[in-house]
């Protein structure tokens, strides 16, 4: 599973679900409307993916990166670089 980058897919998928659950809770409920279409896999351009996922993934990743950098600059609890890397490794994984 690690060779197929399943953890990256799971993180991306969970980010998508979390964003839309949060949006539904903040702005009102939504309901499923069946369209009758099947499962389709196709190649999408980066511009289209950015438009679809910018608020739910890219912007949140940039915000998390900024918070980690600010934590590195102003954080007093972990002085060593190795300790910082061990503590924030999973968060940097989510940024990437």
């Amino acid at each position: 599973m690690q060779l197929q980058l399943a953890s990256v897919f799971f993180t991306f998928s969970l980010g998508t679900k979390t964003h839309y659950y949060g949006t539904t809770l903040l702005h009102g409920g939504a309901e499923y409307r069946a369209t009758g279409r099947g499962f389709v896999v196709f190649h999408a351009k980066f511009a289209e993916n950015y438009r679809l996922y910018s608020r739910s993934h890219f912007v949140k990743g940039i915000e998390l990166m900024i918070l980690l950098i600010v934590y590195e600059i102003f954080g007093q609890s972990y002085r060593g670089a190795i300790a910082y890397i061990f503590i924030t490794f999973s968060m940097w994984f989510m940024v990437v």
Side-chain angles (χ1 to χ4, degrees), residues 1 10 25 48 60 83 95:
M1 288 177 63
F10 176 73
L25 290 173
E48 182 68 14
K60 289 180 182 173
V95 167

Side-chain angles (χ1 to χ4, degrees), residues 65-77:
M65 180 181 67
I66 291 170
L67 288 173
L68 286 169
I69 292 170
V70 168
Y71 178 72
E72 168 63 22
I73 294 170
F74 296 108
Q76 298 295 326
S77 58

Side-chain angles (χ1 to χ4, degrees), residues 38-88:
F39 183 74
V40 179
V41 176
F42 62 93
H43 178 74
K45 295 182 178 181
F46 178 78
E48 182 68 14
N49 281 336
Y50 184 80
R51 185 183 66 77
L52 291 173
Y53 298 110
S54 64
R55 278 306 291 160
S56 64
H57 291 78
F58 298 132
V59 173
K60 289 180 182 173
I62 291 170
E63 289 172 353
L64 184 57
M65 180 181 67
I66 291 170
L67 288 173
L68 286 169
I69 292 170
V70 168
Y71 178 72
E72 168 63 22
I73 294 170
F74 296 108
Q76 298 295 326
S77 58
Y78 304 105
R79 286 293 182 183
I82 300 297
Y84 175 78
I85 290 170
F86 282 133
I87 291 168
T88 62

